Each structure stands twice: as C-alpha cells, then as structure tokens.
Amino acid sequence: MEEAKWTKMWLDYHRIYDGDMDFKVALDGFAEDTAVIANAIFEFRKGIEELTGVKVIDVRKDRVIGNLKTLSIKKTDSVPPEGYRVAGSDDGITVEASDERGVLYGIFSIIRQIACGKRAEEVAEEASPSNPLRMMNHWDNMDGSIERGYSGESFFFEKDEIIINDRTRDYARFMASIGINGVVINNVNVKGAASYLITDRYFDRLESLSEIFGDYGIRLFLSLNFASPIEIGGMDTCDPLDREVIKWWEDKIKEIYDRLPLLGGFLVKADSEGRPGPFTYGRTQADGANMLGDVIKPYGGIIIWRCFVYNCTQDWRDTKIDRARAGYDYFKEQDGTYHDNVILQIKNGPMDFQIREPVSPLLGGLKRTNQMLEVQIAQEYTGHQIDLCYLIPLFKEVLDFHTFCSPEKDTVADVVSGRTMGNALGGMAAVINTGNDINWTGNDLAAANLYGFGRLSFDTELSSEKIAREWIAMTYRLPDKEADILCSMLLRSREIYEKYTSPLGIGWMVTPNTHYGPSVDGYEYSRWGTYHRADHLGIGVDRTDKGTGYAQQYYEQNAEMYNDPATCPQELLLFFHHIPYTFELKTGKTLIQHIYDSHFEGEEEARKLAVDWDSLKDLIPEEAFERVKERFDLQLDNAREWRDQVNSYFFRKSGIADKKGRTIY
Ligand code: GCW
C-alpha cells in the first residue's frame, strides 16, 4: 500500500459497529447528476462503509441480496437554506433539505453522529447555519510560503503556480464537513504574482479550483490588490472616485466573471501595514469599498473589506495615539453608507489576535453595516501550533459578548449573523492554520481549532466542550476516560497559555517579527502601537476617559464597566488601566504577586499537559503521538522561558520580592 502523504484528520473513519443491512439511495426533488449531490452520496457511501461495514448499493447496477435500507434524500421548503433534518429509523435514514448544501451538510451530520457513537437508526438532528458566511482566509503566498503559517508550505501555490491535486479535493471535503461555504485562497497582502491572479495567466486553474470547491458547496474568493489599476493596469492612480479607474475596474471585473462565474467576490486589505488604499487620495474607506461593491454587484459578487486599519508608524513616546481606537475611529463615522454587498470584516479584538483582548467596539458599534467577525486559528500570538491552545472558548466569549447595541439580540453572534439588523450578509471568517504538513495543522491537536471554527461558525450555540468531544471522537476514538483527559487538556489549554505569557490583557511581550517566545520590551519602543508602559511603580495602558478614551467607544454599560478598575473584568485590567504593582486585586493578591503566581502556575500546568499526553501513549496512533509529544517538549521550554523572563522583568522593575520565595532571576 502506498504510504499516506497526508492524514484525513477527522475524516479518517474506522469501524464503529457492524451494520446489518446495506443501503440504497432514493432521491426526491434533487437531481442525481449534480456534482454536489453526487459528492454527498459519495461521502455517505464512504462514511457508512468505513464506519459500519455496510455497502451502498446502486440498485441499477449491483446485484441486490437481501433487504436494503434506504438513504432517502428529500427536497422540502420546511428547512431553512443550507439547513438539514436527518432522521434514522429501522428502514434507513432520511435527509431533508431545501438546497444542495443542506443535503451535503446533512450527510456529514449523519457521519458525525455515527462516528460519535450513534447507530444509523438513532441518527437525529435538525440544524441550519447561524451565519450566512462561514469562511476560511488563507494567508498563502504564491511562492508557496504562508504568512504566519506554522504547518509547512501552501498546498494551493508553489513557484507562482496554482496547485490542484488530490489534496485539493480532500481540503474541500474537510471544509464541507464542518460547514464552511467560502474560502479565500491567497494572502490579504497581495503582492507580486498574486496581483496577477485576476488576469488571464491564472483563470484556467482558478476555474478548476472554483469548480472543485463549488462541488462541495464552497465559493472561491480572492484577496485583491487595491492598487491593481496601477500595478497590473499601467495607470498612474487607483483613486476610487476617478472615472478612468472605475472604468478599469468595470472592464476587469467583467473579464473575471466571464471566466470565473462561480467566484464569490473579493477580500480587501487596504490602507493597512503598507498596503495601498483610498486614504492616499483623500478618500474614505467607504469610498473604496463601495466603488468595488458597485462594480461587482451585477455579477452577484461581494466585497469583504477589512477594518484592520491603523497607524503602524507611531512614535512610542506619544501616549495620546492609541492603536486600539483606530478601527472604530476610521469606520464608525461612515456607518450606514456602506453598500449592501459590502461587508466589513472586523478582527475580534481592537489590537491583533492576542491571547486576551476586549471585543472590538466596532462589532455592534456599527449599526447599519454588514459585519463579519474575523478570528485567527493560525496561532500567530498563541503558540505557533507548538503550544497547545484550543481557541474555541476564546471565540465563544467573543460571540457571547453583549454589545448593548440594541435592547435585544445584541451579542456579537447576533450582530454578525444578521439577526440584530435583519441583514442578509455577514458571518465569521478565520485565518486558517493549515499547510502542506502531513497532518495539515503542524500540531495534530491544532486540528481541533480548524474543526471547531467550522462547527462554531455553523452553530454558534455549540459549546466548546461539545465541539472538543466531537473532534476527539471523530479523530481518535478513545475510551471514555482517555477522551475525558484529552478533552480536559483542550479546555484548559488557553488559560494555561495565558498564564505563562503576558498578564491581564496587556498582550504582546513577544519576540518581534516571529511572535513566538517572550521579549517583554520587544515591542515597547517600536512603531507598532503595542505598548505595556511598565515602569518601577506599575504597568498597563490608561484607556479610560482620563487616558486615551478608548473605553468610551463602547456603549454606555460597557464603557462604564471598563472605565473603572473596580468593575473592569480582572483579566482585562491592564488593557484598560495603568495599575500599581501593589494594587490589590479582587482575589486579595497584589498585582505583582498575581503576575508571579500565574506565571509559576502556567508553567506547572503546561507540564501537566505533557504528562496527560503521555498517559494516552498506547491509544493514539504512534506517529501522531510522537509528533505531538515533540511539540509538548518545545512548549515546556517556551513556558519556562516566558515564566522566567516575565517574572524577572517585573521583579527587577518593581524590586518587590515573591511572597513565596521562588526562584526569580
Ligand atoms: O497581525 C498581523 C500579522 C500580519 C498580517 C496582519 C493582517 C497578513 O502580523 O502578518 O498580515 O496582521 O491581519 O493583515
């Protein structure tokens, strides 16, 4: 047998029980020969055969022996778009849906349930997506590298060419199995060859890719270079209000859609970290986004415009400028003017995917604009897929956050799903953590974040634990006790990482550029707007009404809560306040003692994670076990380094000793 070149992650089925009767398929209202339905049946066949050993018989071709059960796929209007109703019985399984995606998701629901221990006749679920758009954003470059990639190289690009192979199809299967319906394949920093993705050079391959995706219910999106008229059009401006520029885009978008009718639209990073944008011409972000929105509208396309706009050439001496404010300051004013096929994509926090940040005040701060939540499962600041960090609890906190933007339906989940404003476009996007490593995600356990993001974006009511348990059951099929151990490891991991890294919401303190490992002052005197402002008396950034006024960007209830150190949630204390080391926290500990304790605890708890992993040795496939074990070895080094650098730094600044007399350098 040929050696597997890559794992099948949670779609690697093993026999769960022995089924007694083969299946046949009956379609009612759906055409058999469409690619999505064919793929759905393929997935059912593969899943049910590998999980239960029964076959799916083609009654027209195969000889039928004995009785058959029926997989009956029925079209009905009583299920919402992309939703499904599945029900097992002694006669077989019924899947009801109003569209093809719903069928596909229904089939994957059946497989998930069986893989999690149900028998085919017990299968039962009714579900429809919480979010209209559930997207993955790849930061893959066309030379094959991945910006912030920790799992090898790109499986979409190599040497400026687009790769299409069996892995592409497996990728589409994974995404469909967790309900993803849109994928941006290239980095938001669009440079070099990537600027030419919207030219004839790449249309053939993009067309094939869009079809492979489309057959699994996924729409292809591209990141776009706002300066395309200059870079590939030979013009000397990309001013979004310039007639010639608009004409250029009209011709370009027509050319693109003639060749790529399935394209979902574009993701745009403009005026951010050196990327061109409308500000160069004195125009607003809305001017830029709306121009593209108008041009793409006739083709049913959408423009997803990122709000990650801030001054990245700040003077660290200037305590008035606050990077956290930037998104709101740049985008709030034009609320209500963004066109209806434009979506603003907003990072979960106001800074940049730190282990702890408040929720961005733009989410729900905008009341008349399509919004999409952007999170990062690529572990840029959360351990590079070396350290274990299950991020679903973090995403849940964001989704459950009450913005107070409306008397009801005011959580972030409400806002981005469209429930608050009744809008049709919105959803969730994740910067993805995949690459061409054998296990796709570098750390095998990081696949829980990939799986989890998809499941959560499909159903924002699912709990972190439920998602973790599903992923474990599908991936490893452990006995109950061991499944509990792994589940507990995942659920503890975010807090552990938080404990040994930067304290109480202050963020950063990472090695500049790579963003792995500690460097407490690494970004303190830089241009990036990422400061902790520690001195010999205290630490933290005053973002209250007496400081930068960031807290006042929230609606009143939240603004008041954050403004006062007495009511500010402790885990965010240093994000909002400059606090003396001697300040007594609600726990009764001083701030400095909290820093020492949490860092000692975090390192110890990381060691416990590694011990727990060792206890699973004989139950996890050997290569996977060893791969993860190596990661834990590295994580322990990292945790120790963080602990000692952070503790020593604050001991040296404050001169205050650890009450417990532990070693600090
Ligand atoms: O956090 C920063 C990353 C950049 C990234 C940027 C962004 C793609 O360090 O690598 O660029 O965010 O979100 O655009």
Side-chain angles (χ1 to χ4, degrees):
M1 206 177 85
E2 205 196 330
E3 211 189 321
K5 291 193 220 64
W6 54 84
T7 69
K8 306 283 171 169
M9 294 195 279
W10 58 87
L11 297 186
D12 180 14
Y13 311 124
H14 285 71
R15 189 67 56 86
I16 293 275
Y17 71 92
D18 290 320
D20 47 7
M21 235 186 263
D22 291 339
F23 272 84
K24 68 176 192 299
V25 179
L27 286 162
D28 177 356
F30 287 105
E32 184 160 6
D33 48 5
T34 74
V36 177
I37 295 298
N39 276 338
I41 295 171
F42 164 84
E43 293 298 340
F44 179 76
R45 169 174 286 122
K46 184 170 170 51
I48 200 89
E49 286 188 10
E50 293 176 12
L51 290 165
T52 74
V54 303
K55 298 249 168 300
V56 178
I57 307 286
D58 186 337
V59 284
R60 294 162 310 184
K61 287 197 228 135
D62 303 331
R63 207 158 62 91
V64 180
I65 304 168
N67 291 332
L68 295 178
K69 288 190 179 185
T70 308
L71 170 73
S72 128
I73 302 178
K74 289 189 185 152
K75 190 162 190 154
T76 167
D77 290 339
S78 68
V79 174
E82 299 184 279
Y84 55 84
R85 189 185 297 131
V86 298
S89 71
D90 291 339
D91 303 329
I93 306 175
T94 311
V95 182
E96 291 175 284
S98 58
D99 54 25
E100 294 188 335
R101 274 196 195 130
V103 174
L104 192 56
Y105 299 151
I107 295 290
F108 277 116
S109 159
I110 295 170
I111 292 165
R112 184 168 59 241
Q113 293 180 58
I114 296 177
C116 289
K118 280 205 180 150
R119 296 185 60 91
E121 54 273 23
E122 296 167 346
V123 157
E125 191 185 21
E126 192 167 344
S128 61
S130 311
N131 290 296
L133 287 168
R134 307 172 299 279
M135 299 189 59
M136 292 294 183
N137 291 181
H138 287 261
W139 285 357
D140 292 25
N141 299 315
M142 295 204 63
D143 63 2
S145 63
I146 301 178
E147 183 152 351
R148 310 309 176 185
Y150 312 106
S151 334
E153 301 271 289
S154 174
F155 47 77
F156 287 133
F157 306 112
E158 189 181 17
K159 297 190 182 126
D160 292 347
E161 292 300 334
I162 296 173
I163 309 171
I164 296 179
N165 57 26
D166 288 349
R167 198 159 184 157
T168 320
R169 184 150 191 269
D170 270 345
Y171 169 81
R173 297 179 56 227
F174 289 127
M175 294 303 109
S177 76
I178 52 176
I180 295 296
N181 65 0
V183 169
V184 185
I185 56 169
N186 64 307
N187 189 355
V188 286
N189 291 324
V190 187
K191 300 179 202 170
S195 299
Y196 290 84
L197 278 171
I198 53 170
T199 68
D200 200 36
R201 195 191 288 179
Y202 294 110
F203 286 150
D204 283 345
R205 297 238 114 190
L206 287 175
E207 186 185 6
S208 308
L209 196 56
S210 69
E211 285 166 2
I212 295 170
F213 282 3
D215 294 350
Y216 271 95
I218 301 161
R219 273 191 300 165
L220 172 72
F221 287 73
L222 295 172
S223 293
L224 194 65
N225 186 341
F226 190 77
S228 297
I230 300 175
E231 290 205 18
I232 62 171
M235 301 182 67
D236 56 10
T237 175
C238 60
D239 179 351
L241 301 190
D242 182 298
R243 267 306 324 157
E244 296 293 305
V245 169
I246 298 171
K247 175 80 177 66
W248 186 88
W249 277 116
E250 282 166 353
D251 294 345
K252 177 48 77 182
I253 299 286
K254 176 172 187 319
E255 182 194 350
I256 297 169
Y257 272 90
D258 279 349
R259 300 292 307 279
L260 303 174
L262 298 177
L263 190 74
F266 297 103
L267 174 64
V268 189
K269 171 177 179 176
D271 287 311
S272 170
E273 300 183 331
R275 297 287 78 215
F279 283 167
T280 311
Y281 307 95
R283 313 299 185 195
T284 64
Q285 297 296 299
D287 290 334
N290 288 338
M291 181 275 289
L292 289 172
D294 292 349
V295 172
I296 206 173
K297 193 167 177 135
Y299 308 94
I302 58 180
I303 296 296
I304 305 173
W305 189 270
R306 294 178 86 227
C307 295
F308 189 54
V309 179
Y310 69 98
N311 174 2
C312 66
T313 54
Q314 192 184 324
D315 182 348
W316 57 268
R317 298 166 191 85
D318 184 343
T319 54
K320 292 282 173 298
I321 306 181
D322 180 3
R323 168 167 165 180
R325 293 189 54 116
Y328 191 94
D329 284 344
Y330 285 127
F331 287 90
K332 167 70 184 173
E333 211 181 312
Q334 301 135 46
D335 189 17
T337 70
Y338 297 93
H339 294 176
D340 62 7
N341 64 332
V342 170
I343 306 175
L344 295 191
Q345 184 164 300
I346 305 168
K347 289 192 182 185
N348 62 274
M351 296 296 274
D352 196 6
F353 301 136
Q354 303 302 295
I355 190 66
R356 179 76 65 174
E357 282 184 57
V359 169
S360 168
L362 251 192
L363 290 159
L366 298 167
K367 283 188 163 181
R368 292 173 296 148
T369 300
N370 297 322
Q371 293 159 65
M372 188 132 138
L373 171 65
E374 179 179 315
V375 297
Q376 193 186 39
I377 52 178
Q379 288 174 240
E380 176 177 359
Y381 294 97
T382 53
H384 283 204
Q385 285 138 246
I386 295 171
D387 301 30
L388 182 63
C389 194
Y390 179 56
L391 290 161
I392 307 305
L394 188 165
F395 305 158
K396 286 289 288 183
E397 283 169 15
V398 173
L399 289 166
D400 291 346
F401 180 73
H402 284 283
T403 65
F404 295 103
C405 69
S406 95
E408 50 182 25
K409 297 188 187 155
D410 73 326
T411 65
V412 170
D414 291 324
V415 170
V416 300
S417 66
R419 287 191 295 271
T420 309
M421 301 181 287
N423 50 327
L425 288 180
M428 291 170 66
V431 179
I432 197 168
N433 59 356
T434 52
N436 69 0
D437 274 358
I438 185 165
N439 60 1
W440 300 82
T441 54
N443 188 335
D444 293 63
L445 301 184
N449 286 329
L450 182 61
Y451 178 86
F453 170 78
R455 293 286 289 133
L456 185 63
S457 65
F458 193 90
D459 182 354
T460 52
E461 294 292 304
L462 290 174
S463 73
S464 302
E465 177 172 347
K466 163 102 166 78
I467 292 172
R469 288 196 180 277
E470 275 181 19
W471 175 78
I472 292 167
M474 295 191 74
T475 309
Y476 293 127
R477 294 160 298 276
L478 298 169
D480 289 352
K481 182 171 155 261
E482 282 75 15
D484 286 348
I485 292 176
L486 185 51
C487 183
S488 157
M489 289 171 65
L490 290 173
L491 292 174
R492 278 152 36 219
S493 60
R494 184 256 183 137
E495 204 184 311
I496 294 174
Y497 187 83
E498 180 178 25
K499 278 184 173 176
Y500 62 74
T501 57
S502 64
L504 301 182
I506 193 72
W508 312 98
M509 300 190 175
V510 286
T511 308
N513 307 318
T514 70
H515 302 168
Y516 188 77
S519 174
V520 180
D521 278 341
Y523 276 116
E524 195 56 17
Y525 306 102
S526 75
R527 62 182 174 91
W528 296 96
T530 50
Y531 316 115
H532 57 65
R533 310 267 187 223
D535 59 19
H536 68 298
L537 296 174
I539 171 179
V541 181
D542 185 353
R543 293 192 162 103
T544 68
D545 52 355
K546 299 189 186 60
T548 70
Y550 165 79
Q552 282 57 52
Q553 290 184 337
Y554 292 89
Y555 292 100
E556 202 179 332
Q557 291 92 324
N558 287 331
E560 279 175 10
M561 170 181 70
Y562 289 137
N563 205 56
D564 181 351
T567 51
C568 180
Q570 177 173 300
E571 64 275 11
L572 288 169
L573 191 61
L574 302 179
F575 190 93
F576 285 98
H577 301 276
H578 188 87
I579 299 287
Y581 297 120
T582 52
F583 179 90
E584 193 173 298
L585 302 176
K586 279 175 210 132
T587 54
K589 285 182 192 174
T590 58
L591 171 61
I592 190 77
Q593 194 58 40
H594 172 87
I595 292 176
Y596 296 149
D597 287 354
S598 57
H599 283 76
F600 283 113
E601 277 163 30
E603 193 270 350
E604 260 167 48
E605 289 168 22
R607 262 189 287 145
K608 179 70 174 47
L609 286 177
V611 171
D612 281 355
W613 182 251
D614 281 340
S615 78
L616 304 179
K617 184 166 185 357
D618 298 325
L619 295 160
I620 303 280
E622 197 183 331
E623 298 93 68
F625 178 82
E626 292 301 331
R627 278 195 297 267
V628 174
K629 188 174 168 53
E630 275 171 30
R631 305 255 152 177
F632 275 123
D633 291 343
L634 297 172
Q635 176 170 1
L636 294 195
D637 292 343
N638 191 40
R640 180 164 162 267
E641 211 50 43
W642 269 99
R643 176 196 70 188
D644 291 340
Q645 289 200 27
V646 170
N647 283 346
S648 301
Y649 180 94
F650 287 104
F651 173 61
R652 293 175 188 184
K653 280 256 157 168
S654 70
I656 303 173
D658 170 31
K659 280 207 169 116
K660 300 186 186 162
R662 291 160 292 194
T663 308
I664 294 180
Y665 300 86

